[in-house]
Amino acid sequence: MTPASPAHPIPAPHAVSRLRTARLARSVKPFLARGGPRGARCPGCRLVPSHCICGLCTALPTRAGMCLLMADTEPLKPSNTGWLIADVVADTFAFGWARTEVDPALLALLADPQWQPYVVFPGEFVDPVRVVTQLQPMAVANTQRPLFILLDATWPEARKMFRKSPYLNHLPVLSLQPDQLSRYRLRRSTRDDHFCTSEVAGLCLELAGEAHAAQTLEARLDVFTHHYLQAKHQLPPDLAGAAHQRLSRLRERDGLTGQHAPAGAP
Ligand SMILES: [Zn+2]
């Protein structure tokens, strides 16, 4: 293997990957990513080839779907975690957000009767009549699948997107509760008040009764974060570390027991 080639076969591009490609094609100037590892990136996972994590996880068939509404430059950021959601949740949709236009495919998705869409957003900023804290009975009774709409953006951008997307106004707003958030923090030893998009998606999957997918997404985030930081500091990834072990245990439950060749192994 040459140092420039990724360690694993590159999976077919998912929704976030396709959105990134489309966004790059529209760029008039190159997007300069701040921080993170430098150099060529694997198109499958965005990490430098020596730290590629493609092949460590396959998308899971879940009943819940994810719909990412992404702020303009979000798909271009190497540390964007919406990408990881699309790695794990097979039915992930991704759309770029713009104030003046809306993708007809997004409107069609929101109108598709197989889905019960929820906008995931803090309830304190929303008219209380729209706020729900649990999934609605229709979705629970298996007649509709929950579709979680996540605003993948910085907080100021997300507030603007929420206010200026009239096609979301008729939908219930799923507000994650403080006890759910603090349980999550305890379990993950997260000190930060900020939850990244994939963590929010994990909480939604838990609410939808999809614990295995939620845990797989958390493990995927931990493996990605580990590889990302090791690459940034020009250190090899620890393939026997806690993050890798957890992801392998989850994969064994999927029946995917095949060992992957460690990146950078002789
Ligand atoms: Zn890769």
Side-chain angles (χ1 to χ4, degrees):
M1 183 193 313
T2 64
S5 67
H8 311 291
I10 298 163
H14 53 49
V16 179
S17 172
R18 292 195 302 271
L19 188 61
R20 175 188 161 83
T21 303
R23 179 60 184 76
L24 279 172
R26 286 207 321 276
S27 294
V28 282
K29 56 181 183 191
F31 177 78
L32 295 173
R34 285 181 299 165
R38 306 200 171 277
R41 307 288 180 126
C42 166
C45 63
R46 306 163 298 163
L47 291 161
V48 290
S50 56
H51 288 62
C52 167
I53 56 170
C54 294
L56 296 189
C57 183
T58 42
L60 300 172
T62 53
R63 220 171 75 72
M66 295 286 165
C67 174
L68 298 168
L69 282 191
M70 302 180 83
D72 183 49
T73 58
E74 207 57 50
L76 303 179
K77 295 179 183 170
S79 57
N80 168 271
T81 64
W83 186 288
L84 306 177
I85 300 170
D87 286 340
V88 171
V89 177
D91 278 327
T92 296
F93 307 87
F95 301 94
W97 186 86
R99 190 178 57 78
T100 50
E101 56 189 356
V102 52
D103 189 331
L106 170 60
L107 299 180
L109 177 68
L110 298 181
D112 183 336
Q114 78 161 304
W115 298 110
Q116 166 65 63
Y118 297 87
V119 188
V120 183
F121 201 75
E124 63 207 271
F125 301 98
V126 186
D127 180 352
V129 299
R130 286 180 69 193
V131 176
V132 299
T133 56
Q134 294 294 328
L135 301 196
Q136 290 178 334
M138 272 234 281
V140 174
N142 280 350
T143 52
Q144 280 185 310
R145 301 168 65 191
L147 180 70
F148 298 106
I149 302 168
L150 305 177
L151 308 182
D152 195 5
T154 63
W155 174 236
E157 284 169 336
R159 288 186 74 169
K160 179 175 155 193
M161 289 161 72
F162 184 83
R163 281 200 319 271
K164 296 182 185 278
S165 305
Y167 45 88
L168 301 179
N169 287 351
H170 66 292
L171 299 174
V173 173
L174 177 66
S175 179
L176 298 168
Q177 294 303 289
D179 62 318
Q180 293 158 349
L181 298 173
S182 60
R183 263 203 314 275
Y184 186 87
R185 272 200 193 96
L186 277 177
R187 198 176 68 230
R188 304 262 298 151
S189 333
T190 305
R191 284 178 213 95
D192 204 335
D193 259 3
H194 172 81
F195 287 89
C196 70
T197 308
S198 79
E199 290 175 318
V200 173
L203 279 159
C204 292
L205 288 168
E206 266 179 25
L207 267 182
E210 312 232 31
H212 179 65
Q215 288 163 15
T216 304
L217 184 53
E218 280 173 17
R220 179 77 173 173
L221 173 65
D222 289 344
V223 166
F224 173 78
T225 305
H226 174 69
H227 279 235
Y228 181 89
L229 292 175
Q230 293 296 101
K232 187 172 170 177
H233 298 119
Q234 298 182 316
L235 294 167
D238 178 7
L239 301 171
H244 272 273
Q245 286 189 16
R246 184 149 176 255
L247 187 58
S248 327
R249 280 197 300 274
L250 288 160
R251 291 190 80 215
E252 278 167 25
R253 282 179 47 194
D254 297 333
L256 302 168
T257 48
Q259 283 295 310
H260 60 87

